[in-house]
Amino acid sequence: MPDTVPESPPADDTSLLEAARQAAEKAAVIHADARGRVDPSRWTAKGRSDFVTEVDVDSEQAIVSTLMERFPDHEVLAEEGTEAGANVGRAPVRWIIDPLDGTTNWLHGYPEYAVSIGAEDADGLRAAIVLNSATGELFEASRGAGARRDGEPIQVSELGDLNLALVGTGFPFKKLNVLPAYLETMSRILRATAGIRRAGAAALDLCDLACGRLDCFWEYWLMPWDVAAGALIVREAGGTFEPLEVPGLDTGTVEPGGGWPEGLAPGAFIGANAALMAEFRTLVTGGLPK
């Protein structure tokens, strides 16, 4: 890899979104073409119940090659480890990519899986695309310009009564040591809200939060590529999404700094509309009536 690469033209928000959309659409075609044709013996377990297939890898390569063709001096942080961009730490934009969020859903034909592509610059998250490749529903956002679903503006719900809230979550299957604490939290939330939904793709959960299908969200272990695009979409839809500090929760060692995007280091996260956030955070971290 050379020390330098050709400098791309300055990337405005429109060109970032166009490139991300094009890349996501290519990955979605790969998902569709391979559905039902992947031999289970070729599934690879990254961890307990955490599968990767050649479709994840092929999708990631298609996304990265599309983005690098347009922006050769940009950098990539991708779930399956594809390396691209020679200006590490000095690139004007870093792409944060999950080529197939919800691989287990995809493997079983459960229609909740997506492509998630976020872009960050020196000021933080800047552009985001989440494409539900099972349904074609497209969510996007750019910093300061709001969030959209299939081109139409969206916003988080205005619900202010936690008892009526529908809450999204994900099970901590990668960190089973926190399962007892998670189940205690789930019990509190079940008794204090209208219900909990777990669909198995965090990027889509955050999009559901952004468009008001969910009112709150929490999860005890997520990686940056799981949430980067969804985080911006939620925030641009008027919601809050942030790291979650849970007293006594041990998710293991995360390298300090580690080159992770600001505020998106691996760990626990919480999101909600503004009216519910404070009360929901208290509930998740052990407060409110028993």
Side-chain angles (χ1 to χ4, degrees), residues 108-239:
H108 291 273
Y110 186 80
E112 281 286 305
Y113 49 89
V115 187
S116 175
I117 304 174
E120 65 165 349
D121 61 14
D123 296 319
L125 294 172
R126 180 172 169 186
I129 289 284
V130 174
L131 174 61
N132 184 327
S133 52
T135 67
E137 190 172 46
L138 177 69
F139 293 86
E140 61 184 0
S142 51
R143 189 170 59 221
R148 295 167 295 283
R149 179 184 66 213
D150 294 334
E152 296 297 322
I154 55 173
Q155 63 180 28
V156 294
S157 77
E158 298 180 351
L159 187 71
D161 185 345
L162 189 59
N163 291 320
L164 301 178
L166 186 61
V167 179
T169 191
F171 301 148
F173 63 89
K174 298 180 186 179
K175 297 285 182 178
L176 290 180
N177 60 299
V178 307
L179 186 57
Y182 176 85
L183 292 175
E184 289 181 11
T185 302
M186 176 179 282
S187 176
R188 287 195 304 276
I189 293 173
L190 277 171
R191 288 184 281 114
T193 67
I196 296 174
R197 299 292 182 266
R198 192 270 182 179
L204 293 176
D205 291 338
L206 296 184
C207 291
D208 286 340
L209 176 61
C211 69
R213 294 169 179 161
L214 297 173
D215 305 293
C216 306
F217 172 87
W218 100 100
E219 191 160 344
Y220 273 0
W221 183 259
L222 289 166
M223 298 296 290
W225 41 79
D226 296 320
V227 299
L232 183 62
I233 291 168
V234 168
R235 292 166 184 168
E236 287 298 322

Side-chain angles (χ1 to χ4, degrees), residues 43-124:
W43 303 358
T44 301
K46 291 186 288 185
R48 184 182 179 93
S49 301
D50 186 13
F51 299 106
V52 61
T53 69
E54 67 266 31
V55 175
D56 296 74
V57 176
D58 290 349
S59 300
E60 183 167 295
Q61 291 175 349
I63 292 167
V64 172
S65 63
T66 300
L67 296 175
M68 291 298 103
E69 181 178 357
R70 185 84 172 264
F71 305 110
D73 61 343
H74 288 188
E75 186 182 348
V76 165
L77 174 64
E79 180 176 19
E80 307 308 334
T82 302
E83 296 183 359
N87 295 321
V88 176
R90 296 178 284 115
V93 170
R94 176 164 64 168
W95 295 93
I96 307 166
I97 300 164
D98 191 336
L100 177 51
D101 184 38
T103 300
T104 303
N105 288 348
W106 178 85
L107 285 166
H108 291 273
Y110 186 80
E112 281 286 305
Y113 49 89
V115 187
S116 175
I117 304 174
E120 65 165 349
D121 61 14
D123 296 319

